[in-house]
Amino acid sequence: MRVSIIIPTRERAFYLRHCLQTVLDIDDDDIEIIVSNNASTDNTEEVLAEINDPRLKVINTGTRISMRQNFEFSLSHATGDYVIYIGDDDAFIPQQFSVFREVVEHFQPDSLSWSIPTFGWVTDNYSGKNGGVRFEKKFLFGALEQIDMKLMKSKLLQADYEGFRAPTIYHGAASRAFMEKNRAPNGVFFNGTSPDLYFTDLAIFQNARHFDLRHPITISGKSAASTGAAHNSKSIKKDASNPAARFAAENNADQMRDVADFGTSVRGAFFQVMETVRHILEVEEKPDYAAWFRFVLADHKGHGVDEQQDVIRRLREYAALKGESETLEKLISEGVSDVSRKRLAARWEKAKSKLRSFRIKTELEGENTVLTAARVADIVLGNDYSATAQNDRDRLWKEAVKRSKPFPRQF
């Protein structure tokens, strides 16, 4: 069973070098590693030219295109039975790939998701928790579970992302057969401005046979170059060349549009892509518009006053189109808070989970990158876990804690 690992990249050779090495470190001949270079002008080509591995396939878009277009372009070059996308500042945990293969070969799901620890890149202009990874017992050595997609559909229609264990193709895997079966009438698979959100919503509405693994296969890298970090950071947004600004400009140049556009709101992107998928699939069930309006209005992270007012204006236009103006205006007049019993309960559960966790510095031989983070993660996790066998989770956790002792704790 062949697996295509796709890394879209753009002007981030520094990060790509380390990300790519984590994939090259996977001891598996039946993978193809596709780097889709989005017309980078830095030294990306030089970094890629240094690598001599028959599993590596380098493609170039030739001209700058949107993220959606790059996902579609790279998919057209993939030959695997399963497809995985990661970012160029992310990582695979090489020895854990065998766990992934064990699952897909045994169960052949439409989609598979897994636990994703985070690594903050050590850079001068990124102020997150840098240079380390947190390991939580809740997300290690756990059981493989088939997810109730009817429940996920209900949660999606109500903008309820607490306990949302949905399919994802970004730090997740999708069956190529499922993807080909669900191409839109235009022959394109990714028909939303955010390709990862598009896949998630499509898989939910199409009742994908989805499994979730409570064990990490990849690591999410966070840096000043990350699009997500830029969308949520006022300081990064001050720079006109920041990733969020480039993302928006390239999306605007793409002829493919969502059925709505809620500006710079991250939660608005969730809303507009969900509505796009509903439109394409002709889903008759209506979402809870009050819940969705509330969800988007409560999103103030990284927003200035002008941006928030622009989002409200766009919401009003869409509400009028859907005959939901009264619903929206009532919420605006009453004021919206992001605090609820359900959300507070989720925060409490997250806090309790951290009590059964440890965070360690991932430096090796004076270097601290996502590559060293992946190698440290493999040391800590070991290779005794099986996703298809009975595991003594307490024993595996204790052994992981013991193996973590040589690495400095971060608090």
Side-chain angles (χ1 to χ4, degrees):
M1 185 175 287
R2 192 168 177 80
V3 180
S4 299
I5 298 172
I6 302 176
I7 309 172
T9 190
R10 173 193 60 189
E11 311 288 2
R12 298 199 288 206
F14 169 76
Y15 299 100
L16 176 64
R17 180 191 303 274
H18 302 286
C19 164
L20 186 52
Q21 190 59 54
T22 71
V23 188
L24 294 169
D25 283 350
I26 296 172
D27 185 15
D28 191 314
D29 291 333
D30 207 8
I31 64 173
E32 64 176 0
I33 307 163
I34 300 175
V35 176
S36 185
N37 182 5
N38 193 356
S40 299
T41 58
D42 62 358
N43 62 322
T44 294
E45 289 187 357
E46 287 84 350
V47 167
L48 294 170
E50 294 172 0
I51 299 168
N52 181 23
D53 191 309
R55 301 174 300 174
L56 177 63
K57 180 190 294 184
V58 177
I59 56 178
N60 196 307
T61 61
T63 186
R64 185 58 57 84
I65 59 178
S66 69
M67 179 189 291
R68 183 204 67 80
Q69 289 170 308
N70 200 0
F71 269 56
E72 191 73 30
F73 175 72
S74 52
L75 180 63
S76 71
H77 288 80
T79 64
D81 301 292
Y82 280 86
V83 177
I84 303 169
Y85 286 83
I86 63 169
D88 53 12
D89 57 357
D90 300 328
F92 263 84
I93 311 175
Q95 292 178 35
Q96 308 309 306
F97 187 81
S98 60
V99 178
F100 162 80
R101 182 171 285 285
E102 175 188 10
V103 172
V104 295
E105 291 190 345
H106 189 274
F107 293 99
Q108 298 182 18
D110 292 331
S111 60
L112 175 68
S113 56
W114 49 78
S115 306
I116 313 168
T118 299
F119 170 80
W121 279 84
V122 182
T123 55
D124 293 336
N125 55 348
Y126 183 59
S127 58
K129 289 184 178 179
N130 299 344
V133 172
R134 180 176 295 281
F135 296 87
E136 297 183 54
K137 183 179 181 181
K138 177 181 177 181
F139 297 113
L140 305 182
F141 313 119
L144 179 70
E145 182 179 345
Q146 184 169 357
I147 302 302
D148 181 351
M149 297 302 280
K150 289 184 178 179
L151 175 60
M152 292 304 108
K153 181 180 178 180
S154 174
K155 291 171 96 44
L156 177 62
L157 290 171
Q158 296 176 61
D160 179 7
Y161 286 96
E162 301 298 345
F164 195 64
R165 297 172 69 182
T168 177
I169 202 167
Y170 185 68
H171 288 281
S175 157
R176 186 61 183 268
F178 175 81
M179 296 180 76
E180 292 303 322
K181 180 182 177 182
N182 286 285
R183 283 187 181 273
N186 62 4
V188 174
F189 181 79
F190 295 109
N191 283 276
T193 53
S194 177
D196 49 334
L197 293 179
Y198 182 86
F199 174 80
T200 293
D201 295 351
L202 180 139
I204 289 172
F205 285 124
Q206 295 295 72
N207 196 31
R209 186 167 168 267
H210 173 61
F211 287 75
D212 183 60
L213 178 66
R214 286 301 173 106
H215 189 75
I217 305 297
T218 58
I219 294 173
S220 175
K222 301 297 182 185
S223 70
S226 300
T227 303
H231 271 107
N232 290 313
S233 170
K234 290 182 180 179
S235 60
I236 297 175
K237 280 184 177 180
K238 291 178 181 178
D239 181 356
S241 64
N242 78 73
R246 291 199 304 267
F247 177 82
E250 288 157 11
N251 272 356
N252 288 335
D254 188 350
Q255 295 301 307
M256 189 77 71
R257 292 283 192 272
D258 292 327
V259 296
D261 181 356
F262 300 122
T264 57
S265 170
V266 173
R267 293 187 182 185
F270 281 69
F271 188 16
Q272 68 194 49
V273 172
M274 188 266 294
E275 288 290 76
T276 299
V277 175
R278 285 184 60 246
H279 173 75
I280 291 172
L281 297 180
E282 299 180 348
V283 176
E284 294 182 359
E285 292 173 82
K286 287 177 60 177
D288 182 338
Y289 280 112
W292 270 102
F293 292 153
R294 187 181 296 109
F295 179 72
V296 177
L297 288 169
D299 180 20
H300 299 289
K301 192 173 183 180
H303 278 187
V305 174
D306 290 344
E307 284 180 300
Q308 187 68 8
Q309 288 302 312
D310 180 63
V311 171
I312 291 173
R313 176 184 64 79
R314 292 166 184 263
L315 281 173
R316 281 180 166 140
E317 291 176 357
Y318 193 68
L321 185 67
K322 292 295 179 179
E324 297 285 346
S325 294
E326 185 177 341
T327 303
L328 176 61
E329 294 305 326
K330 183 180 179 181
L331 289 168
I332 293 173
S333 64
E334 292 176 349
V336 173
S337 170
D338 204 24
V339 178
S340 65
R341 287 184 180 179
K342 186 180 291 186
R343 194 161 179 80
L344 288 173
R347 289 176 182 174
W348 173 239
E349 287 301 315
K350 186 175 182 180
K352 287 197 298 183
S353 179
K354 285 191 175 182
L355 294 175
R356 296 182 291 273
S357 74
F358 57 87
R359 182 181 179 87
I360 56 176
K361 189 175 181 181
T362 53
E363 182 176 329
L364 290 175
E365 299 179 354
E367 181 178 308
N368 197 341
T369 67
V370 80
L371 173 58
T372 62
R375 289 175 175 173
V376 168
D378 260 334
I379 292 170
V380 171
L381 296 171
N383 53 17
D384 293 332
Y385 168 72
S386 170
T388 59
Q390 194 74 23
N391 294 285
D392 185 341
R393 194 174 193 181
D394 288 335
R395 177 184 65 81
L396 291 172
W397 169 251
K398 288 177 182 178
E399 291 176 354
V401 172
K402 186 176 181 180
R403 287 190 293 264
S404 74
K405 294 298 184 184
F407 302 100
R409 288 312 196 249
Q410 287 186 325
F411 300 99

